[in-house]
Amino acid sequence: MLDLVLFLPLIGFFALLALPDTVSRKAALAISLVVFLLSLGLIGPVTANPGEYSFVINATWIDYPPIHYHVGIDGLSLWLVILSTLLTPIAILVSWKYIDHRVKMYYAFLLLLEFGVIGVFASLDMFLFYVFWEVSLVPMYFLIGIWGHERRIYAAVKFFLFTMAGSVLMLAAIVYLYNLTGSFDYATILDQLQSGRAVLTAQAQTLLFLAFFFSFAIKVPLFPLHTWLPDAHVEAPTAGSIMLASVMLKMGTYGLVRFCLPLFPEAAHKHAPWIAGLAVVGIVYGALVALVQPNMKKLVAYSSVSHLGFVVLGVFSFTQAGLDGAVYQMLNHGVSTGALFMLVGFLYERRHSLEISAYGGVATPAPQLAIIFLITTLASIGLPTLNNFVGEFLVLQGAAQANFSWVVFAAIGVILSACYMLWLYQRTFYGRASHDLAHHMPDLNQREWIAALPLLILMVWMGTYTQSFMPPISAQNARILEKVNKGGTALAKTPTQAPAVKEVADAR
Amino acid sequence: MPVSLPTSAEYFRFLPEIILTIAGVLIMFLEAVLDEDRKSIFGPFSLVALALSMGAAIAASSDPGTAFSNMLIIDGFGSFFRVLVLVVGILAVFSSMEYLARERANGGEYYALILFSIVGQCIMVTANELIMVFIGLEVSSIASYVLAGYLREDKRNNESALKYFLLGSFATAFLLYGVSWIYGVTGSTNLQLIRQSLEGAGAPAVAVTGAAAALMFVGLGFKISAAPFQVWAPDVYQGAPAPVSAFLSVGPKAAAFAILARVFMTAFGPISARWEPVFWACALATMIIGNFAAIQQTNIKRMLAYSSIAHAGYVLVAITANSGIGSAAVMFYMAAYAVTNIGAFAVVAHVARKGEKYVEIEDFAGLGQRMPGLAAMLTIFLLSLIGVPLTGGFFGKFYIFKAALDSHLNWLTVLGLLNSAVAAYYYLRILVVMYFKEPGESTADLQPAGATLSIAVYVCAIGTLVLGIMPGWVLDLANKAALK
Amino acid sequence: MDALLFMLFAAIAVVCGINLVIQTHPISSALSLVGVMAALAALYLLLGGEFIAAAQLVVYAGAVMVLFIFVIMLLNAGTEHKVKKNPWSQYAGIPMLLLFLGIVACLVQQMFPSTESVSFGGFTKGGPLEIGRALFTTYLLPFEVTSVLILIAILGAIVLARKEID
Amino acid sequence: MQLWLIPLFPLLGFALNGIFGKKLSKPAVNGIACGSVLLSFLWVLKTLNALGVFSGGNALEETYKEQYFTWIQSGMLNIGVDFAIDRLTAVMLLIVTGIGSLIHIYATGYMAHEGGYYRFFAYLNLFMFFMLILVLGANFLLLFVGWEGVGLCSYLLIGFYFLEKFASDAANKAFIVNRIGDFGFSLAVFLIVIHFGSLDFTTVFEKVKDMPIETTAGWMTAISLLLLVGACGKSAQIPLYVWLPDAMAGPTPVSALIHAATMVTAGVYMVARSSQIFLHSAGALNIVAIVGVLTACFAATIGLTQFDIKKVYAYSTVSQLGYMFIGLGTGAFSAGIYHVMTHAFFKALLFLGAGSVIHACGGEQDMRKMGGLRKYTPITMYTLLAASLAIAGFPFLSGYYSKDMILEAAYEHAPWMYWVGVITAGMTAFYVFRAFFMTFMGEYRGKQEAEAHGHGGHAAKAHDDHGHDDHGHANDDHGHGHHGEPHESPAVMWIPLAVLAILSLIGGWAFNIPKFLEPIFPLHEGEAEAWLTYVSVAFGLGGIALAYVMYVVSPGMADGIANSLRGLYTLVYNKYFVDELYDSVVVEPMIDGSRIFLWRVVDARGIDGVVNGAGKTASALGGLLKRLQSGSIRGYAAWVVAGSLIVIAIIGVRNSGLVETLMGGLR
Amino acid sequence: MPPLPLPPTVPISWYLTLSAILFSLGIAGFLFRRSIITVFMSIELMLNAVNLSFITFSYKLKQVDGHIFSFFVMVVAAAEAAVGLAIILTVFKNRQTLEIDELDSLKN
C-alpha cells in the first residue's frame, strides 16, 4: 500500500514525460487521485496502532554502507502523508487553466514533488530521508523557476541555495551518526543513543543537534532564516505555493519532531529557550511584516512565518499539548494556508495582479469567492470551530506550561493575525468594485469549487471534531515525549506554577 | 646475475596496455595507408581496442600480482582505476567522433593519441615504482599536450597546449627532483621498499623525505589541479577542444589521483602525520578556489574547469582521510565524476558547434525547450555535480565526507559541505539559463545530436544515475579494492 | 684533484646556468645550456657515470640541443622584447628562489653532513655493461614503454607540424 | 433534555439561509430565520419547564449538564463539547432567545427592502447559535468558542454594508479590539489549565472553593485580571470600548440585538460565571468595579453631546455596561445580571425605537434633522418613552430595580463609586431624554433638506455635520423609501416594540433575578439605607427635567452652554480624542514601524542583506580568486614555485629541526 | 700561488648543492625569461639538475638505479623536446611571436 502511494507518483512522473501534452493534466489528476484514495487506506491500520510503524518495508538498498529502503508510517507521519496526497490533486486542479506552456513537464514535476515529500514523511532510514529531502527540492526549483512570475529566477535560486546550505549540515550530521552507530536506520540509531550503547559527548550532541536544527529551521522557516520564503511564494505559480506552504514547510517541522527531539533530547532542552524565543519573535515579526505587505502572496507568506513560529514553539515546549498542537498545527496550516494560496491564485487568474491595491470590492461580483475567502481567512486567524484554533490553542497551552512569558508574546501574534488578514480581506473584497475589476471577476466555476471544497470541509471538520485526527498524533507524540523528557526536565523548569498540572485532568 | 624473464602471467597483467599500444601503432600505420574517406573507421577501431583492453583489464584483475620485476602491481585498486580510465577512454572516443568530423579533423592521430595517453594512465595507476609513475605520467602527459593543441589552426588550442606543456613539464621537473631525493634517502624507488625504509627512519631522513614528498606533491598536485597548482587548469580546459577537455579533466586526473593516493598512502604512509595537514589545507583551498572562482565565470568550459578544480578538492578530502574508506571514496568519486563530467562536456561540445562558437553560459538559453532530451541529460549531470541525491555525484560526495568524518576531519567536512552548497549556485545558473530563459539565436539552428554523441551522453547519464541509485555495485568493488 | 675538477666544472655549470638566465637572445641561452650540459657530463664522469656522461653529450648536448638551435634558427627567434607586462613572478621570483635554495641547501647539510666525500673511482658500476644489464632485466618494462613515448613524440610532431590537416 | 437542540435550530437556520437563501423567497427566509429562533426560544422554555424552573422551588439549584463528544484531547487535558445549564444560564438563555426572537421579527420589517436580505438573516442566526454556545458551554473553551463566534458575527453584521469603507473599518475595528480582549481571555484560559488541569466550570469552581485565598491570591488575581481584559473587550469597557460606538455602522436590529442586548453583556456573563475565581481576589474585583465606574461616567459624558441618535444609545450602552461591571466588581453579581436583563429590555427597545425613527425619517440618524415626530410615529414615541423612563431609573420601572441594587452595592463597597454612579445616572437621564425630546418634540426639521437633496446625499451631509472622525453613522443603513414625510413603521416592527415596552415597564419587578440567582450568588444580608434610592431617583428625575428645560422649554440653551464651554465641549463631542490617541500611539507606530523598520530594514536590508551580502561576498571572493588566473605562464609558474615552497615548508621543515638550524646559522 | 683551501675530495653535499643551484637557476629561467624557447630550455636545465642529483645519489648508494633513472629522464626530455618544439612551432605559426607574455588570451 505504502509502496504504491510512494511510487505511483514517480511512475506518473515518467509516464507523463512520455505522454503527449494534451492528456498530461488529466493523467496527472487521475494518478494523484488514485494516490490519494490509496493513501486513505493507510488510515485504518495506522490509527489502530499509532505508536508503531505500519506498512513497514525494510529492504536493503546498498549493502555497504548499510543503507536500507526502510519506510513506514506512524501516527506522526500519517496525516502529513495524506495531506500531501490530498493537496497534489488540488494543486493540479488549480493549475488546470493557468498553466499553458510546457504543460506536461509541469504536471510531471508536481508528481515528482509528491513523490519526494511522501518519501520524506515515510522514510525511516536517515539516508533515505536525506535523499527524499533533496529530491523534493528539485521539482520545486523548476516549478518556481519555469512557471513563476517576474523574479522567479532569483526566488528559485534563493530557495534552492537556502535549503541546500541547511541540508549539507544535516548530511554531515547523519554521516557522523552513522560513523558512531554503524547504522543509518533511525530506530537503531535512536535505540543506541537511548540505551547508551552509543555515547555522544555534550559538545557533539550540541553540534549534531544544531546541524539538524538549522537544516530544518531553514525549511520551516524559522525567523531569521525565513527570507527565502516570501520570495519563493510570491514568484511561485499557485500550485507551487500551495505545495510549498502546505507540504514542504512541514518537512522542516516534521524533522524537528521526528529527529531533533528524540535523538538529542539534552541538547534540545538546552537550546529550547532561544529557539522558542526565535519562534516567538517569528510569530510577532511575521505578523507585523505581513501587516504591511502590499502583495497578497507576500502577506500570506509572512503569515506562514508567523504560523510556523507557533509550530516550533509548540515543539520546543516539550509538553504533550504543545507537541500535539504543533503537529496538528502543521496540518491546519497545510489546509488553511494552502487554501489561501489557492484563493489568491484564483484572484490572480482573474486579474493578473497580486497587488492588494489592484483589488477592492471583489465581494460584489464574486460573492462565492468572497465567502470562501472569508472562511479561509477566519480559519487562518484561528477562529474557534475552525481548524487553526485547535492547533494554536494547544500550542499556546503547552508553551504556557513550559514558560508563560513566551505565550504572552506569542498570543500577540494571534491578535495581529486578525489585523493583517482582516485588513487584507477588507481591502480586497469590501468596498465598491471598479467597473473594470467587476468585469474581470467572474465568480467561482465548478472546477474551482471542487478544488476548494475539500479544504473547506477539512477546516470545519478539523476544527470541530478533532478526535478524527488527534489520537494517532497524540499517541506517537507521547512516545516521543517519553524519550525526550526522560529526565523530566521540561516541566521542572516551570517552578512558578504546577500544583495541578500533574493531577488527572478533567474528570468529565 | 641470474636473468629471469617475465612470465606469461606478467604479460597477461600488462595485456591491456599492450593491446592499446598495438592498436595505436596500427592506427598510425593505417592512417598513412588508408584513403581519406575510410578514415572514419578509426573511431570504431579504437573503441574496439579499448573494449578489448577493458576485457583484458577485467580479466587481469582476477589474477592480481606484480609484473616486470615489481615495476607494476595489478591489485584491486589498480584494476579499478585501469578499468575506469578505459571507460573514460571509451566515453571520450564516443563524444569525440562527431566533434572531429565537424571540425574536419577526423584523423587517426587523435585516436592514437587518446589510446597512448590511456596507456600512460594505465601504467600510472598500476605503477609500483616511481620510475613507472614517471614514465606513465609522461606518456599520458605528452599525449595530452598534443591533444590539447590538436586543432592547431585554433589559437585557443595553441595557447592551451603551450601552457599545458610548459607548466606540465615544469611541474614534472619538481616531481623528478623529489623522486631523486627519495631515491637518495631511501635508496629505492619501489613504493614498498620506500615504505619499509621510512618506517624506521630517523628524524633528518624523515624531514628530507618529507621535503621530497612535498616536491612530488607539486608534480602530482599539478596533474590533479590541486591548489595552489591549479592555475593552469581553467586556461587549458577552456582552450582545448571540448572533448579533449572532457578527457583531460577525468582521465589523467583519475590516474594522477590514483597514483597520488597510492604513493602517499602506501609509500609515505609512515610519515602521514606530516603530509596530512598539507592535504587538509590543499583540499580546502582547492575547493574554495574552484567553487568561488567558478561563480564568476561566463564561459561554460571555463566554469566546468573551475568546477573540476573544486571536485579535485573533494577528492583530496578523501585522500586526507588516509584510510581504506578514503581510498574507496576516491575510487567511487572518480568513477561518478568521470561519467558526469564527460557527459557534461559532451553536451557542451555539441551545443558549442563548429569552431566552438557557443560556449558562453548564456548560449544555453532555452535549451530546455529546444532540446529537451539533451537539456534533461545536462540537468542530470549538473545535479550530480551539485550533489543531489540519486546521482553518482551525491553518493560520491557522501562517501568522501563519510570517510572524512571517520578520520575525524570534522571541520574539513563541514567546510567541504558548505562549499558544495556554494557550488550549487553556479551549476544552478546553467539550469536557470537552460530552463528559465527563452531560447535565443544561439540555439536556433542547433541540430539534434548524432548517434555517437547521444550514446556518450546517454551512457554517461545512465551511469550517473546508476551510481546514484545503485551505488552498491561500484562501491563494493571500491571497498574491496581499497588501499588499506 | 677531484676537488679542483669539481670546482672547475661546477663553476662552468653555474656560470653557464646564470648566463642562460640572463641572456635575452635564445641562441645565447642555448649555447649556455650546452655549456652546462658539457660541464655536467664531466661531473658525471667524476661520479662514475661513464655511460651517462656519454649519453649526456651525445643525446642531450648533441641531439636535443641541436634540435633547439634548429628551431631557434627556423623561427628566426630574436632578442626578447622589452617587458610590457609584469607578472608577479618578476618581483617575487628572487626571494622565492633564495628561500627555495636555502631550504634545500639546509636539508642537504642536515641529511648529508660533510663526512662522506666523492672521489673519482669511488663508484665504478656506471659503465655500459651494468646499465645495459639493468635496462634489459629489471628496467625492461620502462625501457620498452619509452618506445611508446618516442612514438607519441613522433605522432605529436606529425600532428602539430604537418603542413595541413586536410 | 436535548440542550443541543437549542443552538442547533439557529445553526440550521443559518445553514439553510446561508446556502439556499439566494434562491428562497423572502417569506421563506423570514420563516426560516424567525422560526429557528422562535423554536429555539420555545425549546428553552420547554427545557426550563422540564427542569422545573417555572414551578419555583429548588429547581436547577444544581447544574444540569449534558456531554456530547470530546473536542480536544491532549494528554491529561480533555475538553469536551458539553452543555450545562444552571440558573445563571437559564436567565441568559431566556434573554438571548426571547429578545432575539423579537428582534428577528422586527428585522423582517426593518430589512424588508435591503439587498443581501438572506445574508443578513443567516448572519443573525449564526449569531444566535454562537451566543447560545457561549451561554450553554460547560467549560471555558466552549465559552470562548461562543465568545469568538459572536465576535465574528458582530464583525460580519457591522460590515454588512461592506460597500462603504466606514462599515468595513468599523467591522475590523470591532473584531480586532475584541481580539485584544480575547488575548487576555486566552491567557487566562492557559493559566486556568495550568492551575486546575481542566477548563470545565464545575471542576474548576469546585477546586477554587477548596483553595485557600492566602496562597493562591497571586495567580488568582492574574487569572481574574486577564479574564477582565477579555470582558473589557467584549463588553466595551475602558480602555477597549472604542469599537462599540463605531459598531453602529451595522443595521439597527444588529445594534439592538448584538451591541445592546446580548453580545456585549457576554463579558458580564463571563465575569459572573467566573465569580468564584474573582472572589478569591479582592484586588481584581476592585479593579473590575473601578473599570465599571470609570466607563459608566466617561461614556455618559460623551453621550451628552452626540447628535447621532444611535451614537447616543451606543454610548449609553457603554455606560450601562459600566454599571453592570460596578455590580460585578462590588460583589453584587446578581445585580449585574439583573441589570443585564433590564438593560436588554430597554436598550433593545431604545435601539429598535431608534430604528423605527430612522426608518420613519428615511434613513436619517441626525437628531438635529428630526423633531416633532410625535405626530407621525406615536407608537414609536410611546414605546421609546417607556424605554427612556426605564433607563433613567424612573421608580418601579425595570431600570430602577437593577440600577438601584448596583448603586447600593457600590455604596457599600466604596461611597465614591456610588456618587459617581448617581451623577452618571443623572447624565443618563439627561441624554436619553435629550434624544427623546429632540426627536419627538418641536417641529420636524428634516423635511426640506430631505427633499432638497434626496437620500443619496446623506453620507456627505452627515460628514459635514459630524466631522471626519464620525464613523458610526449608518445613513446607508436604510437605502429604501423616498418619503416626503415621516411615517409610522409597519406592525411587524412596532409589535416587538410594544412587547419590549411592556417588559421595560414591568420587567423589573416581574422577574426578580437576584432572588432567582440566590443559589449561585448569595444575596447580601441586611437592608440598604433608603436615602440611597432617593438620591439616585432624584438625580434621574433631575436629568429628565434638565433635558426638558434645555430642549423643549428653551431650545437655544443647549447651544449657549456648548458655546460657553467651547473647549470642554469640543473635547467631549470628539469623544476625548481617544480614537485619535489610539491611532497615533498604537496603530500608526505599529504599521509604520513594521513597514519601515521591520520589513524594509530588518527583513530587506538586515536579513536579506546578510544573505545577499554573503552572495556578494562569495562573488567578490570569486572575482578575486579568478584574478589569480592572470593568463600569464610565468605568473602561473610563480604560483607553482610558491606553492611548492609552502608545501615543502609544511611537510619538510616542520618539526625537523631545520628552523632551529637556520636560526642557529644566523646567529 | 697559495694553495687553494680545498680538501682533496669534495663532500657529496657539494654535488647536491650544485644540483639545487642549477635547479633554482632553471626555475629562475622559467620565471624571468620571456622567450618561450628559453623558458623551455630552462626546464631542460632543471632536468639536468635532477640528473645530477640522481647520479650523485647513485654514487652515494653505490647503485646503478640512479643512472637508469637519469637515462630515462634524458629519453623523456628528448621526447618532450620534440613535442614541445612542435607546439612552439604551431604557436609561432598562428601568432608570429615567441613572447611568452603575449600568450595570455585565456585568463581569469
Side-chain angles (χ1 to χ4, degrees), chain B residues 176-184, chain C residues 40 44 47 104 108 112, chain E residues 12 15-20 22-23 46-61 66-67 70:
Chain B
L176 279 174
Y177 198 44
V179 170
S180 78
W181 277 69
I182 287 174
Y183 171 67
Chain C
L40 285 181
Y44 293 165
L47 289 165
V104 173
V108 167
F112 309 102
Chain E
I12 279 182
Y15 279 90
L16 293 174
T17 310
L18 175 63
S19 152
L22 291 177
F23 194 82
M46 288 163 78
L47 293 181
N48 272 287
V50 170
N51 276 352
L52 176 60
S53 166
F54 266 120
I55 288 164
T56 311
F57 282 127
S58 210
Y59 177 89
K60 173 180 171 275
L61 296 166
H67 291 231
S70 57

Side-chain angles (χ1 to χ4, degrees), chain C residues 75-99:
Chain C
L75 299 183
N76 200 11
T79 318
E80 290 166 2
H81 300 239
K82 189 70 200 143
V83 183
K84 276 171 284 179
K85 295 163 189 164
N86 271 323
W88 68 288
S89 58
Q90 208 75 27
Y91 313 107
I94 301 273
M96 286 199 306
L97 281 173
L98 290 177
L99 193 57

Side-chain angles (χ1 to χ4, degrees), chain A residues 226 285 302 426 432 466 500 505, chain D residues 71 76 162 164 169 195 603:
Chain A
H226 64 276
Y285 178 90
Y302 277 107
Q426 181 194 16
R432 294 182 194 278
T466 63
Chain D
W71 181 26
M76 288 171 293
F162 60 77
E164 303 305 329
D169 277 344
H195 292 291
D603 222 52

Side-chain angles (χ1 to χ4, degrees), chain B residues 105-427:
Chain B
N106 204 357
E109 299 94 342
Y110 181 87
Y111 300 104
L113 283 169
I114 291 262
L115 294 185
F116 288 140
S117 174
I118 290 171
V119 169
Q121 287 150 27
C122 287
I123 291 171
M124 276 166 86
V125 299
T126 52
N128 195 31
E129 250 295 336
L130 291 179
I131 199 159
M132 289 317 291
V133 173
F134 168 61
I135 296 207
L137 190 73
E138 279 302 315
V139 169
S140 161
S141 298
I142 293 180
S144 307
Y145 302 151
V146 179
L147 282 170
Y150 186 71
L151 302 175
R152 61 196 177 123
E153 305 291 298
D154 188 310
K155 286 189 178 182
R156 287 173 297 180
N157 275 231
N158 295 154
E159 184 174 336
S160 167
L162 187 77
K163 279 182 173 168
Y164 194 21
F165 166 71
L166 284 180
L167 291 166
S169 309
F170 186 60
T172 308
F174 280 86
L175 174 85
L176 279 174
Y177 198 44
V179 170
S180 78
W181 277 69
I182 287 174
Y183 171 67
V185 177
T186 64
S188 173
T189 49
N190 181 288
L191 297 183
Q192 270 75 33
L193 295 177
I194 293 171
R195 185 189 175 91
Q196 282 166 23
S197 156
L198 280 178
E199 266 159 3
V206 167
V208 176
T209 324
L215 287 168
M216 280 194 71
F217 180 65
V218 175
L220 293 174
F222 178 89
K223 293 289 169 199
I224 61 167
S225 67
F229 316 114
Q230 89 297 348
V231 272
W232 59 278
D235 294 8
V236 171
Y237 292 174
Q238 185 190 353
V244 174
S245 301
F247 179 67
L248 292 186
S249 66
V250 286
K253 197 177 242 181
F257 264 118
I259 202 62
L260 186 71
R262 197 194 281 279
V263 168
F264 278 82
M265 285 186 188
T266 356
F268 299 146
I271 56 166
S272 65
R274 284 178 169 268
W275 56 261
E276 274 171 8
V278 173
F279 277 57
W280 194 100
C282 281
L284 184 60
T286 311
M287 290 188 287
I288 288 176
I289 290 176
N291 282 323
F292 283 84
I295 292 175
Q296 288 259 337
Q297 300 308 317
T298 57
N299 181 300
I300 194 163
K301 278 169 78 185
R302 199 167 176 85
M303 197 215 81
L304 285 172
Y306 278 109
S307 130
S308 94
I309 294 174
H311 286 275
Y314 301 134
V315 182
L316 271 177
V317 172
I319 298 183
T320 312
N322 188 20
S323 61
I325 301 177
S327 65
V330 174
M331 288 185 250
F332 187 88
Y333 198 88
M334 282 321 297
Y337 179 69
V339 286
T340 305
N341 215 37
I342 290 190
F345 266 112
V347 177
V348 170
H350 179 69
V351 175
R353 269 157 296 167
K354 183 162 171 52
E356 300 204 359
K357 260 187 298 185
Y358 299 107
V359 285
E360 291 296 305
I361 291 175
E362 290 302 318
D363 293 334
F364 281 68
L367 193 68
Q369 275 156 288
R370 287 274 160 77
M371 297 257 139
L374 206 60
M377 295 307 116
L378 184 53
T379 306
I380 290 173
F381 301 136
L382 291 172
L383 291 178
S384 176
L385 290 171
I386 292 175
V388 171
L390 302 185
T391 60
F394 165 71
F395 205 85
K397 226 170 251 172
F398 159 77
Y399 212 57
I400 280 178
F401 289 116
K402 176 181 155 10
L405 278 179
D406 234 9
S407 302
H408 305 292
L409 301 172
N410 296 353
W411 284 111
L412 190 59
T413 305
V414 170
L415 291 170
L417 283 168
L418 287 177
N419 251 291
S420 73
V422 172
Y425 177 73
Y426 58 85
Y427 296 122

